[in-house]
Amino acid sequence: MASSLTKDSAGTAGSEKTFFGHPRGLATLFMTEMWERFSYYGMRALLPLYLIAPDGLHMNPATATAIYSVYVSLVYLLAMPGGWFGDRVWGPRKTVAVAGTVIMIGHLTLALPSQGTFFAGLGLVAIGSGLLKSNISTMVGHLYDGPDDPRRDGGFTVFYMGINVGAFAAPLVIGTIGESVNWHLGFALAAVGMGLGLAQYLFGTRHLNERSLVVPKPLSAAERADTLRKGMIWLAIAAVFYIVTVVTGVYTLNWILVPITIAGLVIPVMVLTRIKRDKELSAAEQSKMSGYIWFFVAAAMFWMIYDQGGSTLAIFADNSADNSILGWDFPVSWYQSVNPVLIMALAPVFAAFWLSLNRRGKEPSTIVKFSSGLVLVGASFFLFLMPLTIATDGHKAAAMWLVAIYFVQTVAELTLSPVGLSVTTKMAPAKYASQMMGVWFLAVTAGDCTTGLLSIAGVGLNGTGIVALQAALAAAAGVAIFMYRNKVKQLMGDVR
């Protein structure tokens, strides 16, 4: 990528280096995000497999799915307080540096062969990811001259390519080493990846916009003291509570999993309710928020199914699939590279397709795209019923069944996810413009926490009945949104 640096003919003096025609700082943020996603997706590809492996933690699939779902939900749940730290405490640049350090330490902690350090490492990686997620995107925006800079959308497109490059490479490298050599060596490789990302970030910060150093709305001395006091009180309460459960011998893993999953469902409801009840919002903004709730609930259902690609489908592949093509065996974790490579291949096709339809006045509305995404993700689980049916009496399902499921889910993601991001920014009340992206992430949290609660309750998510039920609910939700599209359009006001 560094070889793509060229002279900027549009620069002030024609001498400023660029990255694919974009500010030089984009290269720094691109590489940081790529290595962070490399570490994140590599560890995530190993996580459910390590949890159920006889030479790992040897848990049952339901518990492994619950832990995986809670971990993913935490990453998105912590994006909101992560953004708050960037806005009120450290500023985006410092927050990302702290985040990278915490993530690296988390992966190193995962590499230690102990169950206690393993869960501590998961917590550190989730905290670091939450700190990084919102702030690095903010710094990409800082590189451009406001929202009307014609290069801005293209810059974010290049930046998000970094996500998929890292996500594609991670299972192939970290997954292979973790499965074939040693689980903890795989986790250590994730730490190396984050270390490389952090090193080049610190080296390249001189290319970032000076605004990334600024704390937009710093806490006053009184606010800082009050926040610290409240934080210490809640930390002390939690510490005392869990010490008592351990000392009395009643502690189990569910004492951690259940509160987090409940919080992941309650907090989104509380946030949406607080915004909806804000009397400072105009009637038009109130109406848009009512319409947005439809999209939020639908997105939560979408992510509930979609994110099982890394847990339910991965565990099925480990136990019941013939993970080979033309006689060549490959690690189970490699399935997690299918989605990012399909994203990179299909995203330009979708962008060109929507643009072509738009020019002819035939581009589907936001509502139609959203409902289509839900129906498609439901269809992916209807398709999942085929390998589930095949994998009985000792038979193994062909690997291409799983590839086909991931393909349908990727098409569904490209139909729904970009639209969801766009409609979130368009329907956000002016007062909550900077917070609404965090609200969108809460839909992922709610979906994953639903999966987590089902798993904690002992529901086997690889059963044909529950898979069919989830598929039917997603498809029905997509049809319902389409049927009520006129009502939702009215609530959306001037947003289309």
Side-chain angles (χ1 to χ4, degrees), residues 422-440:
S422 177
V423 81
T424 296
T425 59
K426 290 177 181 177
M427 296 178 72
K431 181 178 177 180
Y432 297 99
S434 61
Q435 297 181 40
M436 283 299 287
M437 198 54 66
V439 173
W440 171 252

